[in-house]
Amino acid sequence: MASLWVKRKFLGNGSYGKVFLAQSTALLAYYKSPALVPFVALKSCLASRSSSLRLERDVFRELGGCDGIVKCFGSGVSVENGVEYFDLVLEYAPGGSLEQLLRFRGGRMPELEVGCYTRMLLKGLSHVHGKGWVHCDLKPANILVFPSKHGGGVFKCSLKLADFGSAKRGGEISCGFVDPCSGRKNRGTLLYSSPESVAFGEHEAPMDVWALGCIVFEMLIGKGMWSNYRRFSARVLGDLIAGYQDSGLIFCDDLSANAEDFLRKCLTRSAEERWTADQLLEHPFITESCKMLPLSQSGQTPKIMGYRRIPFSSSFVVSNNPSVFVN
Ligand SMILES: Nc1ncnc2c1ncn2[C@@H]1O[C@H](COP(=O)(O)OP(=O)(O)OP(=O)(O)O)[C@@H](O)[C@H]1O
C-alpha cells in the first residue's frame, strides 16, 4: 500500500510521537510539481499507541476553526513498511514556535508588539474556554508562529495556540499525573503552572490565564517568571509556586502602567479573582496596542478572495478534487 504522505523533513519529537513536514502523495501525483502542493505538519505515532493524538483530534473537532488556533485538516491511519501509524494533519507553521522566536529575539520585545501578539493568543483562548475546554499546557513551545496574512506590516508574525494533547473539558475531574520529581499531582509544565493547579490539582480555565501571564511576562521582561529559581529542584519550585503571593510580583520601572496591570490581572493568586480571557481582551494593554495598528493587523481579518477552505475531516482519503480532504 502506497503511503498517503511524503515526509519531507523531521520537525521534532513530542511525548506521543514525531512531527514531520509532509506533502500529500495524491496531490503530488495530481499537480506533478511539488512546488504547487501545500505543506502540512504531520503529527504521527504508532496506531497502537495513539490515544493521546486521538484525544487531540477530538478536541480539534469540538473547537472547530478559529484564527487564534492552529488548523487541523483531519486525521487517519497510514501504513509504512507494514506498520500502521495514526496521523494528525495540521497546518504547517513556517516560523516554528514562540519559544524559538523568543530565543532568536534574545530579550525584551516592544510593548506594542507584545500587546498585539497577546491579543491573538487571547482570541484563541477565549474560543477554547467558550467551547468548554481548558488547554492545560500553555507555554511558548506550544504556541506556533506563522507569517502574518497581511504581510509587510508592522509585525510580520501571527501566533496560534497548538498542542491540545493535554486539554480537558472544564469541570471534568482531572486525571493529572503525579510528577516523580515534585511529588505533586500535576498537569502541564511546572514553570507555567498556576498556584491552584500545583497546590490543589485544580485544572480549570484560570490556569490557562495564569500560563498566558507567564508567557506575556517572558515577552515583556525578556526572561521567564521563575528564571531566578531555575537551579531549584522541581519539588522546591513547586512549593514556591504553591505559596506565591501577589505582593511578590515586582516589576522594573520602565514597564508601562497598562502592561504591569495586565500582568497583575493574569498573575493573581486567587483563581476566582483572576481575569478571564474575555475580560483581558478589553484590558487597555490590549485595546491601546491594537489602536496603534493599521486595520489589517488589529485582528479584523479582511476576507481574502480565492482562498479555498479545506473542511475538517476525520480521515484524509483524498477526493477527485485535489484541493479538498474529505471523510
Ligand atoms: N504545526 C506545526 N508546524 C510546525 N512545527 C510544528 C507543528 N506542530 C509541532 N511542531 C514542532 O514539532 C515539535 C514537536 O511538537 P509537539 O507540540 O508535538 O511536541 P512538544 O510540545 O514539543 O512535546 P509534548 O508532546 O511533550 O508537549 C516542536 O519542535 C514543534 O515546534
Side-chain angles (χ1 to χ4, degrees):
M1 184 177 165
S3 176
L4 291 172
W5 300 100
V6 176
K7 293 174 181 166
R8 296 292 185 196
K9 191 178 155 195
F10 171 69
L11 292 174
N13 270 315
S15 45
Y16 53 85
K18 297 179 189 310
V19 185
F20 297 95
L21 178 68
Q23 287 176 301
S24 153
T25 310
L27 294 187
L28 285 167
Y30 183 89
Y31 284 116
K32 306 283 191 284
S33 161
L36 298 176
V37 178
F39 285 111
V40 293
L42 207 62
K43 273 189 155 185
S44 191
C45 69
L46 287 173
S48 55
R49 294 190 191 163
S50 56
S51 53
S52 162
L53 267 195
R54 284 177 195 272
L55 166 77
E56 191 169 1
R57 185 261 324 263
D58 294 344
V59 178
F60 274 119
R61 238 181 223 169
E62 284 200 26
L63 290 180
C66 164
D67 273 354
I69 295 175
V70 69
K71 281 195 184 67
C72 176
F73 299 132
S75 66
V77 174
S78 61
V79 181
E80 238 180 79
N81 301 324
V83 181
E84 280 197 342
Y85 291 90
F86 181 80
D87 300 316
L88 194 61
V89 189
L90 302 174
E91 68 177 320
Y92 168 58
S97 68
L98 177 61
E99 185 181 41
Q100 291 165 313
L101 181 68
L102 283 166
R103 220 179 296 136
F104 174 74
R105 298 284 290 265
R108 301 174 68 169
M109 285 185 184
E111 286 193 12
L112 179 61
E113 187 175 2
V114 176
C116 293
Y117 291 161
T118 305
R119 184 171 194 263
M120 297 170 194
L121 300 178
L122 280 170
K123 288 230 158 194
L125 207 52
S126 158
H127 183 79
V128 173
H129 294 169
K131 292 274 180 184
W133 284 87
V134 187
H135 184 288
C136 293
D137 196 16
L138 265 194
K139 57 180 173 179
N142 288 339
I143 292 168
L144 295 178
V145 180
F146 293 79
S148 171
K149 270 188 203 164
H150 319 297
V154 188
F155 310 122
K156 300 218 164 67
C157 300
S158 289
L159 303 187
K160 298 190 185 193
L161 307 183
D163 197 350
F164 288 83
S166 306
K168 71 175 265 284
R169 258 181 249 278
E172 209 169 58
I173 300 294
S174 177
C175 48
F177 61 91
V178 176
D179 186 326
C181 301
S182 66
R184 293 175 186 280
K185 201 172 177 213
N186 224 344
R187 203 177 172 110
T189 305
L190 189 57
L191 286 172
Y192 299 88
S193 292
S194 60
E196 76 279 3
S197 67
V198 176
F200 312 117
E202 271 176 39
H203 303 120
E204 299 301 333
M207 82 177 277
D208 285 343
V209 172
W210 175 279
L212 178 97
C214 296
I215 295 164
V216 177
F217 183 104
E218 218 160 314
M219 291 194 275
L220 286 171
I221 309 294
K223 56 183 188 172
M225 191 167 151
W226 299 103
S227 56
N228 292 345
Y229 302 92
R230 283 232 156 194
R231 297 233 173 104
F232 288 38
S233 69
R235 188 177 287 277
V236 175
L237 187 58
D239 288 343
L240 281 173
I241 296 171
Y244 166 91
Q245 295 299 327
D246 296 341
S247 55
L249 201 57
I250 298 162
F251 292 108
C252 36
D253 291 342
D254 56 352
L255 204 64
S256 74
N258 277 347
E260 178 173 336
D261 188 67
F262 182 89
L263 284 172
R264 290 195 185 281
K265 296 288 188 281
C266 298
L267 300 170
T268 299
R269 178 182 171 85
S270 157
E272 290 76 38
E273 286 169 27
R274 201 172 300 148
W275 278 29
T276 63
D278 284 339
Q279 286 175 310
L280 289 166
L281 274 167
E282 300 302 324
H283 191 281
F285 175 60
I286 302 298
T287 51
E288 295 298 316
S289 309
C290 295
K291 258 192 221 157
M292 315 275 287
L293 287 177
L295 179 71
S296 62
Q297 293 200 332
S298 64
Q300 297 184 29
T301 315
K303 295 276 168 277
I304 301 169
M305 302 309 289
Y307 169 76
R308 178 138 192 198
R309 214 180 170 77
I310 301 174
F312 179 82
S313 65
S314 60
S315 63
F316 46 66
V317 180
V318 177
S319 78
N320 290 336
N321 179 342
S323 66
V324 180
F325 294 107
V326 295
N327 248 325

PDB file of all heavy atoms in Angstrom, residues 11-19 41 43 56 70 90-94 96-97 100 137 139 141-142 144 146 162-163 166, ligand 1:
ATOM      1  N   LEU A  11      10.455  17.462  11.982  1.00  0.00           N
ATOM      2  CA  LEU A  11      10.348  18.774  12.658  1.00  0.00           C
ATOM      3  C   LEU A  11      10.613  18.684  14.155  1.00  0.00           C
ATOM      4  O   LEU A  11      11.041  19.659  14.773  1.00  0.00           O
ATOM      5  CB  LEU A  11       8.953  19.372  12.442  1.00  0.00           C
ATOM      6  CG  LEU A  11       8.605  19.800  11.019  1.00  0.00           C
ATOM      7  CD1 LEU A  11       7.156  20.233  10.923  1.00  0.00           C
ATOM      8  CD2 LEU A  11       9.520  20.935  10.555  1.00  0.00           C
ATOM      9  N   GLY A  12      10.336  17.541  14.750  1.00  0.00           N
ATOM     10  CA  GLY A  12      10.592  17.441  16.192  1.00  0.00           C
ATOM     11  C   GLY A  12       9.887  16.248  16.809  1.00  0.00           C
ATOM     12  O   GLY A  12       9.070  15.583  16.179  1.00  0.00           O
ATOM     13  N   ASN A  13      10.252  15.994  18.059  1.00  0.00           N
ATOM     14  CA  ASN A  13       9.652  14.900  18.832  1.00  0.00           C
ATOM     15  C   ASN A  13       8.636  15.445  19.801  1.00  0.00           C
ATOM     16  O   ASN A  13       8.846  16.484  20.415  1.00  0.00           O
ATOM     17  CB  ASN A  13      10.743  14.229  19.680  1.00  0.00           C
ATOM     18  CG  ASN A  13      11.403  13.097  18.945  1.00  0.00           C
ATOM     19  OD1 ASN A  13      10.725  12.266  18.305  1.00  0.00           O
ATOM     20  ND2 ASN A  13      12.716  13.055  19.004  1.00  0.00           N
ATOM     21  N   GLY A  14       7.527  14.740  19.969  1.00  0.00           N
ATOM     22  CA  GLY A  14       6.605  15.050  21.061  1.00  0.00           C
ATOM     23  C   GLY A  14       6.585  13.845  21.980  1.00  0.00           C
ATOM     24  O   GLY A  14       7.189  12.813  21.648  1.00  0.00           O
ATOM     25  N   SER A  15       5.892  13.940  23.091  1.00  0.00           N
ATOM     26  CA  SER A  15       5.879  12.807  24.023  1.00  0.00           C
ATOM     27  C   SER A  15       5.124  11.615  23.412  1.00  0.00           C
ATOM     28  O   SER A  15       5.351  10.482  23.769  1.00  0.00           O
ATOM     29  CB  SER A  15       5.243  13.230  25.344  1.00  0.00           C
ATOM     30  OG  SER A  15       4.076  13.954  25.082  1.00  0.00           O
ATOM     31  N   TYR A  16       4.207  11.881  22.455  1.00  0.00           N
ATOM     32  CA  TYR A  16       3.360  10.840  21.840  1.00  0.00           C
ATOM     33  C   TYR A  16       4.015  10.237  20.594  1.00  0.00           C
ATOM     34  O   TYR A  16       3.645   9.173  20.126  1.00  0.00           O
ATOM     35  CB  TYR A  16       2.033  11.503  21.399  1.00  0.00           C
ATOM     36  CG  TYR A  16       2.372  12.680  20.565  1.00  0.00           C
ATOM     37  CD1 TYR A  16       2.612  12.538  19.223  1.00  0.00           C
ATOM     38  CD2 TYR A  16       2.624  13.919  21.169  1.00  0.00           C
ATOM     39  CE1 TYR A  16       3.073  13.592  18.479  1.00  0.00           C
ATOM     40  CE2 TYR A  16       3.078  14.964  20.421  1.00  0.00           C
ATOM     41  CZ  TYR A  16       3.309  14.790  19.087  1.00  0.00           C
ATOM     42  OH  TYR A  16       3.811  15.821  18.358  1.00  0.00           O
ATOM     43  N   GLY A  17       4.922  10.956  19.919  1.00  0.00           N
ATOM     44  CA  GLY A  17       5.474  10.506  18.637  1.00  0.00           C
ATOM     45  C   GLY A  17       6.293  11.600  17.970  1.00  0.00           C
ATOM     46  O   GLY A  17       6.969  12.373  18.647  1.00  0.00           O
ATOM     47  N   LYS A  18       6.207  11.670  16.653  1.00  0.00           N
ATOM     48  CA  LYS A  18       7.074  12.607  15.916  1.00  0.00           C
ATOM     49  C   LYS A  18       6.248  13.556  15.045  1.00  0.00           C
ATOM     50  O   LYS A  18       5.115  13.238  14.689  1.00  0.00           O
ATOM     51  CB  LYS A  18       8.010  11.817  14.990  1.00  0.00           C
ATOM     52  CG  LYS A  18       8.976  10.888  15.726  1.00  0.00           C
ATOM     53  CD  LYS A  18       9.817  10.143  14.712  1.00  0.00           C
ATOM     54  CE  LYS A  18      10.655   9.029  15.299  1.00  0.00           C
ATOM     55  NZ  LYS A  18      11.463   9.312  16.439  1.00  0.00           N
ATOM     56  N   VAL A  19       6.859  14.693  14.691  1.00  0.00           N
ATOM     57  CA  VAL A  19       6.190  15.652  13.803  1.00  0.00           C
ATOM     58  C   VAL A  19       7.039  15.809  12.528  1.00  0.00           C
ATOM     59  O   VAL A  19       8.266  15.955  12.621  1.00  0.00           O
ATOM     60  CB  VAL A  19       6.018  17.035  14.481  1.00  0.00           C
ATOM     61  CG1 VAL A  19       5.223  17.976  13.584  1.00  0.00           C
ATOM     62  CG2 VAL A  19       5.341  16.900  15.827  1.00  0.00           C
ATOM     63  N   ALA A  41       1.907  19.863   8.564  1.00  0.00           N
ATOM     64  CA  ALA A  41       2.689  19.257   9.657  1.00  0.00           C
ATOM     65  C   ALA A  41       1.944  17.984  10.045  1.00  0.00           C
ATOM     66  O   ALA A  41       0.760  18.024  10.353  1.00  0.00           O
ATOM     67  CB  ALA A  41       2.792  20.207  10.829  1.00  0.00           C
ATOM     68  N   LYS A  43       1.566  15.058  12.594  1.00  0.00           N
ATOM     69  CA  LYS A  43       1.904  14.516  13.918  1.00  0.00           C
ATOM     70  C   LYS A  43       1.626  13.031  13.822  1.00  0.00           C
ATOM     71  O   LYS A  43       0.481  12.629  13.567  1.00  0.00           O
ATOM     72  CB  LYS A  43       0.999  15.120  14.979  1.00  0.00           C
ATOM     73  CG  LYS A  43       1.484  16.417  15.541  1.00  0.00           C
ATOM     74  CD  LYS A  43       0.634  16.811  16.729  1.00  0.00           C
ATOM     75  CE  LYS A  43       1.394  17.706  17.676  1.00  0.00           C
ATOM     76  NZ  LYS A  43       0.650  18.008  18.892  1.00  0.00           N
ATOM     77  N   GLU A  56      -6.399  14.571  20.976  1.00  0.00           N
ATOM     78  CA  GLU A  56      -6.143  15.889  20.381  1.00  0.00           C
ATOM     79  C   GLU A  56      -7.040  16.090  19.162  1.00  0.00           C
ATOM     80  O   GLU A  56      -7.609  17.164  18.960  1.00  0.00           O
ATOM     81  CB  GLU A  56      -4.660  16.011  20.004  1.00  0.00           C
ATOM     82  CG  GLU A  56      -4.290  17.426  19.648  1.00  0.00           C
ATOM     83  CD  GLU A  56      -2.794  17.668  19.525  1.00  0.00           C
ATOM     84  OE1 GLU A  56      -1.998  16.732  19.699  1.00  0.00           O
ATOM     85  OE2 GLU A  56      -2.435  18.825  19.234  1.00  0.00           O
ATOM     86  N   VAL A  70      -4.239  26.744  15.800  1.00  0.00           N
ATOM     87  CA  VAL A  70      -3.681  26.079  14.622  1.00  0.00           C
ATOM     88  C   VAL A  70      -4.773  25.214  13.973  1.00  0.00           C
ATOM     89  O   VAL A  70      -5.598  24.619  14.660  1.00  0.00           O
ATOM     90  CB  VAL A  70      -2.428  25.250  15.038  1.00  0.00           C
ATOM     91  CG1 VAL A  70      -2.794  24.056  15.880  1.00  0.00           C
ATOM     92  CG2 VAL A  70      -1.624  24.829  13.844  1.00  0.00           C
ATOM     93  N   LEU A  90      -1.985  18.841  10.426  1.00  0.00           N
ATOM     94  CA  LEU A  90      -2.129  20.221  10.900  1.00  0.00           C
ATOM     95  C   LEU A  90      -1.538  21.205   9.900  1.00  0.00           C
ATOM     96  O   LEU A  90      -0.657  20.834   9.108  1.00  0.00           O
ATOM     97  CB  LEU A  90      -1.380  20.399  12.224  1.00  0.00           C
ATOM     98  CG  LEU A  90      -1.790  19.494  13.377  1.00  0.00           C
ATOM     99  CD1 LEU A  90      -0.845  19.705  14.547  1.00  0.00           C
ATOM    100  CD2 LEU A  90      -3.221  19.781  13.791  1.00  0.00           C
ATOM    101  N   GLU A  91      -1.991  22.455   9.968  1.00  0.00           N
ATOM    102  CA  GLU A  91      -1.335  23.463   9.118  1.00  0.00           C
ATOM    103  C   GLU A  91       0.096  23.619   9.616  1.00  0.00           C
ATOM    104  O   GLU A  91       0.365  23.550  10.821  1.00  0.00           O
ATOM    105  CB  GLU A  91      -2.094  24.793   9.120  1.00  0.00           C
ATOM    106  CG  GLU A  91      -2.094  25.553  10.398  1.00  0.00           C
ATOM    107  CD  GLU A  91      -2.807  26.903  10.283  1.00  0.00           C
ATOM    108  OE1 GLU A  91      -2.650  27.583   9.259  1.00  0.00           O
ATOM    109  OE2 GLU A  91      -3.502  27.274  11.237  1.00  0.00           O
ATOM    110  N   TYR A  92       1.006  23.803   8.669  1.00  0.00           N
ATOM    111  CA  TYR A  92       2.431  23.897   8.978  1.00  0.00           C
ATOM    112  C   TYR A  92       2.787  25.325   9.398  1.00  0.00           C
ATOM    113  O   TYR A  92       2.392  26.285   8.740  1.00  0.00           O
ATOM    114  CB  TYR A  92       3.242  23.481   7.745  1.00  0.00           C
ATOM    115  CG  TYR A  92       4.701  23.814   7.834  1.00  0.00           C
ATOM    116  CD1 TYR A  92       5.483  23.312   8.877  1.00  0.00           C
ATOM    117  CD2 TYR A  92       5.312  24.634   6.878  1.00  0.00           C
ATOM    118  CE1 TYR A  92       6.827  23.628   8.972  1.00  0.00           C
ATOM    119  CE2 TYR A  92       6.656  24.942   6.961  1.00  0.00           C
ATOM    120  CZ  TYR A  92       7.403  24.440   8.010  1.00  0.00           C
ATOM    121  OH  TYR A  92       8.728  24.754   8.105  1.00  0.00           O
ATOM    122  N   ALA A  93       3.503  25.440  10.506  1.00  0.00           N
ATOM    123  CA  ALA A  93       3.929  26.761  10.994  1.00  0.00           C
ATOM    124  C   ALA A  93       5.365  27.017  10.548  1.00  0.00           C
ATOM    125  O   ALA A  93       6.300  26.506  11.169  1.00  0.00           O
ATOM    126  CB  ALA A  93       3.839  26.798  12.519  1.00  0.00           C
ATOM    127  N   PRO A  94       5.559  27.819   9.493  1.00  0.00           N
ATOM    128  CA  PRO A  94       6.919  28.024   8.975  1.00  0.00           C
ATOM    129  C   PRO A  94       7.822  28.758   9.969  1.00  0.00           C
ATOM    130  O   PRO A  94       9.041  28.645   9.900  1.00  0.00           O
ATOM    131  CB  PRO A  94       6.715  28.882   7.721  1.00  0.00           C
ATOM    132  CG  PRO A  94       5.255  28.885   7.449  1.00  0.00           C
ATOM    133  CD  PRO A  94       4.549  28.544   8.718  1.00  0.00           C
ATOM    134  N   GLY A  96       8.078  28.209  13.185  1.00  0.00           N
ATOM    135  CA  GLY A  96       8.433  27.423  14.372  1.00  0.00           C
ATOM    136  C   GLY A  96       7.564  27.811  15.564  1.00  0.00           C
ATOM    137  O   GLY A  96       6.417  28.229  15.406  1.00  0.00           O
ATOM    138  N   SER A  97       8.149  27.732  16.767  1.00  0.00           N
ATOM    139  CA  SER A  97       7.366  28.019  17.972  1.00  0.00           C
ATOM    140  C   SER A  97       7.762  29.373  18.565  1.00  0.00           C
ATOM    141  O   SER A  97       8.814  29.936  18.237  1.00  0.00           O
ATOM    142  CB  SER A  97       7.591  26.924  19.018  1.00  0.00           C
ATOM    143  OG  SER A  97       8.925  26.996  19.478  1.00  0.00           O
ATOM    144  N   GLN A 100      11.131  29.363  20.138  1.00  0.00           N
ATOM    145  CA  GLN A 100      12.253  29.624  19.219  1.00  0.00           C
ATOM    146  C   GLN A 100      12.351  31.111  18.900  1.00  0.00           C
ATOM    147  O   GLN A 100      13.437  31.670  18.842  1.00  0.00           O
ATOM    148  CB  GLN A 100      12.066  28.814  17.930  1.00  0.00           C
ATOM    149  CG  GLN A 100      12.228  27.319  18.149  1.00  0.00           C
ATOM    150  CD  GLN A 100      11.684  26.511  16.981  1.00  0.00           C
ATOM    151  OE1 GLN A 100      10.578  26.749  16.497  1.00  0.00           O
ATOM    152  NE2 GLN A 100      12.447  25.551  16.514  1.00  0.00           N
ATOM    153  N   ASP A 137      -1.765  23.190  28.988  1.00  0.00           N
ATOM    154  CA  ASP A 137      -0.301  23.169  28.837  1.00  0.00           C
ATOM    155  C   ASP A 137       0.170  24.321  27.949  1.00  0.00           C
ATOM    156  O   ASP A 137       0.957  24.135  27.022  1.00  0.00           O
ATOM    157  CB  ASP A 137       0.157  21.815  28.255  1.00  0.00           C
ATOM    158  CG  ASP A 137       1.662  21.591  28.442  1.00  0.00           C
ATOM    159  OD1 ASP A 137       2.281  22.314  29.258  1.00  0.00           O
ATOM    160  OD2 ASP A 137       2.219  20.697  27.772  1.00  0.00           O
ATOM    161  N   LYS A 139       2.366  27.199  26.895  1.00  0.00           N
ATOM    162  CA  LYS A 139       3.763  27.620  27.093  1.00  0.00           C
ATOM    163  C   LYS A 139       4.306  28.018  25.730  1.00  0.00           C
ATOM    164  O   LYS A 139       3.715  27.643  24.695  1.00  0.00           O
ATOM    165  CB  LYS A 139       4.588  26.488  27.716  1.00  0.00           C
ATOM    166  CG  LYS A 139       4.580  25.196  26.925  1.00  0.00           C
ATOM    167  CD  LYS A 139       5.414  24.127  27.607  1.00  0.00           C
ATOM    168  CE  LYS A 139       5.268  22.787  26.887  1.00  0.00           C
ATOM    169  NZ  LYS A 139       6.055  21.725  27.471  1.00  0.00           N
ATOM    170  N   ALA A 141       6.535  26.889  23.857  1.00  0.00           N
ATOM    171  CA  ALA A 141       6.784  25.776  22.930  1.00  0.00           C
ATOM    172  C   ALA A 141       5.494  25.290  22.282  1.00  0.00           C
ATOM    173  O   ALA A 141       5.532  24.644  21.226  1.00  0.00           O
ATOM    174  CB  ALA A 141       7.456  24.617  23.674  1.00  0.00           C
ATOM    175  N   ASN A 142       4.349  25.605  22.889  1.00  0.00           N
ATOM    176  CA  ASN A 142       3.069  25.157  22.342  1.00  0.00           C
ATOM    177  C   ASN A 142       2.310  26.279  21.634  1.00  0.00           C
ATOM    178  O   ASN A 142       1.099  26.198  21.439  1.00  0.00           O
ATOM    179  CB  ASN A 142       2.203  24.542  23.456  1.00  0.00           C
ATOM    180  CG  ASN A 142       2.744  23.191  23.876  1.00  0.00           C
ATOM    181  OD1 ASN A 142       3.478  22.567  23.132  1.00  0.00           O
ATOM    182  ND2 ASN A 142       2.391  22.748  25.073  1.00  0.00           N
ATOM    183  N   LEU A 144       2.516  28.432  18.082  1.00  0.00           N
ATOM    184  CA  LEU A 144       3.220  28.374  16.793  1.00  0.00           C
ATOM    185  C   LEU A 144       3.187  29.723  16.083  1.00  0.00           C
ATOM    186  O   LEU A 144       2.259  30.524  16.269  1.00  0.00           O
ATOM    187  CB  LEU A 144       2.616  27.279  15.917  1.00  0.00           C
ATOM    188  CG  LEU A 144       2.794  25.848  16.466  1.00  0.00           C
ATOM    189  CD1 LEU A 144       2.118  24.831  15.551  1.00  0.00           C
ATOM    190  CD2 LEU A 144       4.267  25.492  16.647  1.00  0.00           C
ATOM    191  N   PHE A 146       3.349  31.988  12.608  1.00  0.00           N
ATOM    192  CA  PHE A 146       3.022  31.991  11.177  1.00  0.00           C
ATOM    193  C   PHE A 146       3.358  33.360  10.606  1.00  0.00           C
ATOM    194  O   PHE A 146       3.303  34.358  11.324  1.00  0.00           O
ATOM    195  CB  PHE A 146       1.520  31.739  10.984  1.00  0.00           C
ATOM    196  CG  PHE A 146       1.101  30.350  11.388  1.00  0.00           C
ATOM    197  CD1 PHE A 146       0.911  30.036  12.719  1.00  0.00           C
ATOM    198  CD2 PHE A 146       0.906  29.368  10.438  1.00  0.00           C
ATOM    199  CE1 PHE A 146       0.540  28.753  13.103  1.00  0.00           C
ATOM    200  CE2 PHE A 146       0.536  28.087  10.805  1.00  0.00           C
ATOM    201  CZ  PHE A 146       0.355  27.782  12.140  1.00  0.00           C
ATOM    202  N   ALA A 162      -1.382  25.800  19.958  1.00  0.00           N
ATOM    203  CA  ALA A 162      -1.240  24.450  19.403  1.00  0.00           C
ATOM    204  C   ALA A 162      -1.090  23.442  20.539  1.00  0.00           C
ATOM    205  O   ALA A 162      -1.106  23.817  21.716  1.00  0.00           O
ATOM    206  CB  ALA A 162      -0.017  24.405  18.486  1.00  0.00           C
ATOM    207  N   ASP A 163      -0.940  22.198  20.183  1.00  0.00           N
ATOM    208  CA  ASP A 163      -0.722  21.082  21.106  1.00  0.00           C
ATOM    209  C   ASP A 163      -1.821  20.971  22.169  1.00  0.00           C
ATOM    210  O   ASP A 163      -1.639  21.364  23.323  1.00  0.00           O
ATOM    211  CB  ASP A 163       0.664  21.204  21.772  1.00  0.00           C
ATOM    212  CG  ASP A 163       1.074  19.861  22.386  1.00  0.00           C
ATOM    213  OD1 ASP A 163       0.221  18.951  22.453  1.00  0.00           O
ATOM    214  OD2 ASP A 163       2.239  19.718  22.798  1.00  0.00           O
ATOM    215  N   SER A 166      -2.958  17.768  26.045  1.00  0.00           N
ATOM    216  CA  SER A 166      -3.209  17.696  27.498  1.00  0.00           C
ATOM    217  C   SER A 166      -4.549  18.323  27.855  1.00  0.00           C
ATOM    218  O   SER A 166      -4.872  18.449  29.040  1.00  0.00           O
ATOM    219  CB  SER A 166      -2.120  18.461  28.267  1.00  0.00           C
ATOM    220  OG  SER A 166      -0.853  18.014  27.913  1.00  0.00           O
TER     221      SER A 166
HETATM  222  N1  LIG B   1       2.003  22.591  13.039  1.00  0.00           N
HETATM  223  C1  LIG B   1       3.328  22.599  13.202  1.00  0.00           C
HETATM  224  N2  LIG B   1       4.136  23.264  12.356  1.00  0.00           N
HETATM  225  C2  LIG B   1       5.477  23.311  12.528  1.00  0.00           C
HETATM  226  N3  LIG B   1       6.117  22.707  13.550  1.00  0.00           N
HETATM  227  C3  LIG B   1       5.373  22.023  14.438  1.00  0.00           C
HETATM  228  C4  LIG B   1       3.948  21.916  14.317  1.00  0.00           C
HETATM  229  N4  LIG B   1       3.479  21.182  15.353  1.00  0.00           N
HETATM  230  C5  LIG B   1       4.558  20.839  16.081  1.00  0.00           C
HETATM  231  N5  LIG B   1       5.692  21.337  15.548  1.00  0.00           N
HETATM  232  C6  LIG B   1       7.072  21.183  16.063  1.00  0.00           C
HETATM  233  O1  LIG B   1       7.303  19.811  16.342  1.00  0.00           O
HETATM  234  C7  LIG B   1       7.986  19.633  17.580  1.00  0.00           C
HETATM  235  C8  LIG B   1       7.176  18.719  18.488  1.00  0.00           C
HETATM  236  O2  LIG B   1       5.981  19.409  18.812  1.00  0.00           O
HETATM  237  P1  LIG B   1       4.814  18.869  19.718  1.00  0.00           P
HETATM  238  O3  LIG B   1       3.926  20.008  20.023  1.00  0.00           O
HETATM  239  O4  LIG B   1       4.177  17.743  19.050  1.00  0.00           O
HETATM  240  O5  LIG B   1       5.537  18.300  20.983  1.00  0.00           O
HETATM  241  P2  LIG B   1       6.091  19.092  22.267  1.00  0.00           P
HETATM  242  O6  LIG B   1       5.101  20.147  22.685  1.00  0.00           O
HETATM  243  O7  LIG B   1       7.469  19.580  21.965  1.00  0.00           O
HETATM  244  O8  LIG B   1       6.140  17.942  23.318  1.00  0.00           O
HETATM  245  P3  LIG B   1       4.927  17.347  24.167  1.00  0.00           P
HETATM  246  O9  LIG B   1       4.197  16.410  23.273  1.00  0.00           O
HETATM  247  O10 LIG B   1       5.627  16.664  25.276  1.00  0.00           O
HETATM  248  O11 LIG B   1       4.077  18.503  24.626  1.00  0.00           O
HETATM  249  C9  LIG B   1       8.204  21.039  18.148  1.00  0.00           C
HETATM  250  O12 LIG B   1       9.504  21.473  17.814  1.00  0.00           O
HETATM  251  C10 LIG B   1       7.187  21.893  17.423  1.00  0.00           C
HETATM  252  O13 LIG B   1       7.616  23.235  17.278  1.00  0.00           O
END
